[in-house]
Amino acid sequence: MRNTTRFALSLIAGSLALSAQAAETKPVAVVNGVAIPQNRLEFIVKQISEGGAKDSPEIRGKIREQMIVEELAAQEAVKQGLDKAPDMQVEMEIYKQKALARAFIMQYRKTHPISDADLKKEYDKMKEQMKQAQGDKEYHSRHILVDKEEEAKEILAQLKKGKKFDDLAKEKSKDPGSKTNGGDLGWAAPGNFVKEFSDVMVKLAKGQINPAPVKSQFGYHIIKLEDVREVQGPSFEEVKPNLQQKLQGEQIGKLIDDLKAKAKVE
């Protein structure tokens, strides 16, 4: 009985293995007797998944239909002898070359990953460059922009009498980008403003309004400094994907340069 049971179990296990193998090798479709292999569909699904699309039965159904259409068209092309045309032979060689080159690059990236240490080093370098370009502080300011100096002086007089800065900005300012927000310019480095503006802004204390109108190419500004803080650049996690892409690009560029240097090109 025990031997019989073992034999029966082995038959069941074998049947299950064969069924699984058959399921894996079952074609996507058979078109005029030509099987479209499952691995071809899986390859396309993998490609679109890497591009951000989600695998789903609907996606797979659309891919299957497209593969059937392409198979039908390809069969007709072969019937007409188009696969033997010189241009088609060249095109197929080009596609093969591109596919091999892409596979080589992908394999190199897998075997030469960019480390977090390298990414953080690049991040620190980026922050230092930002600091040098924009300074180590950023300012939260408001302004009221008018055309004439006399009008600016009148607004300053109203401010001294207790009128609210944001109310006057909404009423008087000609800057459409900040007017509706009470003249609020948000947080920015001095380099983001014209020199006449930034030179005055950086000398103000928190909450202070410049005592005289500031003239620039845009007109006359009345500036109020709300606050000052250390530069708040993007976090490492925010820029990590971009840094990785940048370093990978440099890595592949060096690889290609090395291959060119070793190659004999006539």
Side-chain angles (χ1 to χ4, degrees):
M1 284 296 292
R2 288 180 181 177
N3 289 334
T4 304
T5 302
R6 287 174 183 172
F7 179 69
L9 288 174
S10 66
L11 283 177
I12 293 171
S15 299
L16 290 173
L18 288 172
S19 299
Q21 186 177 6
E24 288 175 2
T25 58
K26 184 179 179 181
V28 175
V30 180
V31 182
N32 294 328
V34 178
I36 301 175
Q38 180 70 28
N39 62 1
R40 196 179 299 176
L41 183 142
E42 297 301 334
F43 179 80
I44 297 172
V45 169
K46 180 183 176 183
Q47 281 193 317
I48 65 171
S49 296
E50 289 174 352
K54 291 184 178 180
D55 187 2
S56 69
E58 290 77 16
I59 289 291
R60 286 175 174 265
K62 290 179 180 179
I63 294 172
R64 179 179 183 275
E65 289 304 311
Q66 182 63 28
M67 293 174 75
I68 291 171
V69 170
E70 289 174 353
E71 179 60 36
L72 286 168
Q75 288 180 18
E76 291 302 312
V78 171
K79 286 180 184 178
Q80 296 177 28
L82 297 179
D83 59 322
K84 301 296 190 296
D87 285 351
M88 175 57 63
Q89 295 295 319
V90 172
E91 186 174 357
M92 291 172 69
E93 284 298 320
I94 290 172
Y95 280 131
K96 178 182 177 181
Q97 186 182 53
K98 287 182 180 293
L100 285 170
R102 184 171 59 251
F104 168 69
I105 297 298
M106 295 299 292
Q107 180 65 22
Y108 186 87
R109 285 181 173 175
K110 286 181 181 178
T111 56
H112 297 77
I114 304 296
S115 68
D116 274 357
D118 288 336
L119 289 171
K120 286 177 181 176
K121 184 178 178 181
E122 187 67 20
Y123 175 68
D124 291 338
K125 179 181 173 183
M126 180 197 75
K127 286 202 303 181
E128 185 60 29
Q129 289 173 342
M130 287 178 58
K131 182 178 178 180
Q132 291 178 2
Q134 301 181 2
D136 56 356
K137 291 182 180 179
E138 54 187 3
Y139 298 76
H140 181 196
S141 62
R142 294 177 183 268
H143 83 143
I144 301 171
L145 178 64
V146 294
D147 289 318
K148 297 180 179 180
E149 185 177 11
E150 292 78 11
E151 186 179 3
K153 287 180 178 178
E154 289 175 6
I155 293 171
L156 281 169
Q158 293 181 59
L159 288 168
K160 287 179 181 179
K161 292 178 181 178
K163 191 106 183 216
K164 290 185 178 180
F165 193 98
D166 54 342
D167 290 339
L168 284 170
K170 291 175 182 177
E171 181 184 346
K172 304 286 187 180
S173 183
K174 70 167 191 173
D175 177 13
S178 66
K179 177 175 181 172
T180 56
N181 295 324
D184 194 345
L185 296 170
W187 288 100
N192 289 4
F193 302 103
V194 292
K195 189 174 186 303
E196 298 89 345
F197 188 102
S198 61
D199 284 350
V200 172
M201 179 187 69
V202 297
K203 294 176 182 177
L204 296 174
K206 294 180 185 180
Q208 185 181 5
I209 298 171
N210 63 298
V214 178
K215 184 180 180 181
S216 78
Q217 66 194 74
F218 302 107
Y220 289 87
H221 306 263
I222 299 166
I223 307 169
K224 180 182 180 183
L225 180 63
E226 295 285 358
D227 205 353
V228 184
R229 69 182 182 188
E230 296 296 316
V231 171
Q232 305 286 309
S235 69
F236 174 70
E237 292 301 325
E238 287 175 322
V239 298
K240 185 176 179 180
N242 291 334
L243 292 176
Q244 189 166 33
Q245 188 175 25
K246 177 179 180 293
L247 291 184
Q248 282 180 337
E250 293 175 355
Q251 181 188 55
I252 298 304
K254 185 180 181 303
L255 170 65
I256 298 303
D257 287 342
D258 290 342
L259 290 174
K260 285 181 179 178
K262 296 175 184 176
K264 182 179 179 181
V265 181
E266 300 176 351

